[in-house]
Amino acid sequence: MIVAAIIICSLCCCHSVAALSSSPAISRRNALRTSYTAAATPILHQLLSPDIANAASNLGLANKLSKRDPSMLKNSVFNIPPGPQHYPEFMFGDWDVTMKFRGFVFPSTSISKEKLVANVGIPGFQKLSIATVGDVGREVTNYQMSIDKSSKMEDRKLSLSTSINGHLGYDAVREVIYDPKDNPNRISIDFIPNRTRNANRIELFCNGRESELVSAEESASGQTVFLCAEYIRQVTFGLSQEFGVARQVSGNYGHFWTWKSPKDSSSSTITGNLLTAAYLDAQDPMFFEEPSKPVVVYSHDLVATRR
């Protein structure tokens, strides 16, 4: 039987929200450096109950997460372009979502934490380097999500624009360009000129998707559990210190979502968790020290209330 609290208590909380949000003057990398102590044990805590493997195939996403091992969250090798993500019935409709930062972990055994926090190119160390989570250290962010009943697909224009604006604390997105019928694996995000130093435009490329639905009968709580993952390559264009030369930064990361159905038919709330695994780019000097496993994993708790 599956313990229903699938990823809600996912990261070891010794690396907490206070570490990244205590002062706006502290950079993300400095906060990571000072909050990580020698005594901290960088392991994922209770990603899933071990007995989730009883209800999942050996290759399933739920089984992968049940290992409680961040090295299992390897980057996807791009082969056949994936199709669009489809969502289960309990997620259909319009939602107000609250995202709360829970913690982070440095899982690499090949590269020291000191070397990693000195690397400004790792996704999450700068604002907007992870589009969906524009400010990783922000304690609480509110955004909107909509899942269409007929297509079973998410309105990415809505969720990305409201999430980015919510993380920044002001309206910065001018337009999100996305047509899942034409190409479900590319999204362009244009920003209002001079609204943010970190990005003028972001291009997102999805290199892989996974999903799995665990039935209520297999769940200890009696709630249906939906898991899905996306492996993203992000290219960010912005201003550089050299006049007339655009700044271009590439980053790679994977999102791993877990959503649980309402506890009963009268409830208008669903809960979830988002794990974001940051990988080294192929052009990074440290790439061959950790070519596929994540070097940082962030965790956020999610609560969605039906509008």
Side-chain angles (χ1 to χ4, degrees):
M1 296 291 289
I2 301 172
V3 174
I6 287 217
I7 300 186
I8 305 306
C9 296
S10 56
L11 287 179
C12 180
C13 292
C14 59
H15 315 308
S16 67
V17 61
L20 290 185
S21 61
S22 58
S23 170
I26 300 177
S27 72
R28 292 295 174 272
R29 291 186 297 122
N30 286 338
L32 288 166
R33 181 184 293 112
T34 56
S35 65
Y36 187 98
T37 66
T41 304
I43 59 173
L44 296 180
H45 178 62
Q46 291 185 339
L47 270 181
L48 297 173
S49 170
D51 59 0
I52 193 172
N54 297 331
S57 69
N58 292 332
L59 299 178
L61 182 58
N63 186 58
K64 178 191 298 185
L65 293 172
S66 74
K67 303 300 183 183
R68 306 184 185 185
D69 182 357
S71 67
M72 298 293 292
L73 307 180
K74 294 182 179 180
N75 199 3
S76 175
V77 178
F78 182 72
N79 292 308
I80 301 174
Q85 179 63 64
H86 293 107
Y87 291 83
E89 184 177 358
F90 76 82
M91 295 187 68
F92 294 169
D94 300 324
W95 304 87
D96 290 321
V97 184
T98 297
M99 172 186 286
K100 183 175 182 180
F101 180 69
R102 187 172 186 83
F104 62 93
V105 64
F106 292 97
S108 176
T109 58
S110 302
I111 307 175
S112 69
K113 179 266 303 183
E114 288 76 16
K115 288 181 65 176
L116 290 172
V117 296
N119 188 340
V120 297
I122 294 176
F125 284 8
Q126 295 190 49
K127 287 186 178 181
L128 297 178
S129 56
I130 299 175
T132 300
V133 190
D135 185 356
V136 169
R138 187 181 176 94
E139 184 173 0
V140 177
T141 301
N142 297 310
Y143 69 96
Q144 296 178 345
M145 177 176 68
S146 180
I147 309 296
D148 182 69
K149 182 178 181 180
S150 57
S151 67
K152 302 181 181 180
M153 291 190 293
E154 179 184 358
D155 183 348
R156 296 296 178 98
K157 295 181 180 181
L158 175 67
S159 55
L160 274 171
S161 61
T162 56
S163 178
I164 291 173
N165 290 339
H167 276 94
L168 293 178
Y170 55 86
D171 290 344
V173 177
R174 179 167 61 182
E175 183 181 16
V176 176
I177 303 170
Y178 181 56
D179 184 352
K181 294 181 180 179
D182 178 56
N183 184 354
N185 302 315
R186 180 169 183 174
I187 302 176
S188 298
I189 306 169
D190 286 335
F191 290 83
I192 299 171
N194 303 317
R195 286 291 283 168
T196 174
R197 293 177 54 191
N198 294 68
N200 289 334
R201 188 174 88 254
I202 290 176
E203 298 288 339
L204 300 177
F205 304 90
C206 182
N207 294 332
R209 289 189 177 92
E210 299 178 78
S211 64
E212 187 169 348
L213 188 68
V214 179
S215 68
E217 290 74 20
E218 296 174 294
S219 170
S221 68
Q223 294 169 262
T224 301
V225 180
F226 178 66
L227 306 98
C228 62
E230 291 189 340
Y231 302 88
I232 303 295
R233 178 169 178 78
Q234 175 174 324
V235 182
T236 305
F237 300 88
L239 299 175
S240 70
Q241 295 182 348
E242 185 176 351
F243 179 76
V245 178
R247 169 179 168 269
Q248 179 178 326
V249 179
S250 297
N252 300 276
Y253 50 85
H255 289 309
F256 300 84
W257 284 275
T258 297
W259 287 103
K260 295 193 299 179
S261 65
K263 292 184 177 180
D264 54 65
S265 58
S266 62
S267 177
S268 60
T269 299
I270 58 176
T271 58
N273 177 268
L274 170 62
L275 292 178
T276 302
Y279 311 106
L280 293 176
D281 187 73
Q283 303 301 316
D284 193 290
M286 294 187 292
F287 175 74
F288 290 103
E289 297 181 62
E290 201 70 277
S292 61
K293 298 177 183 179
V295 291
V296 185
V297 180
Y298 312 102
S299 179
H300 291 82
D301 289 338
L302 305 170
V303 178
T305 302
R306 193 179 296 277
R307 294 205 304 272

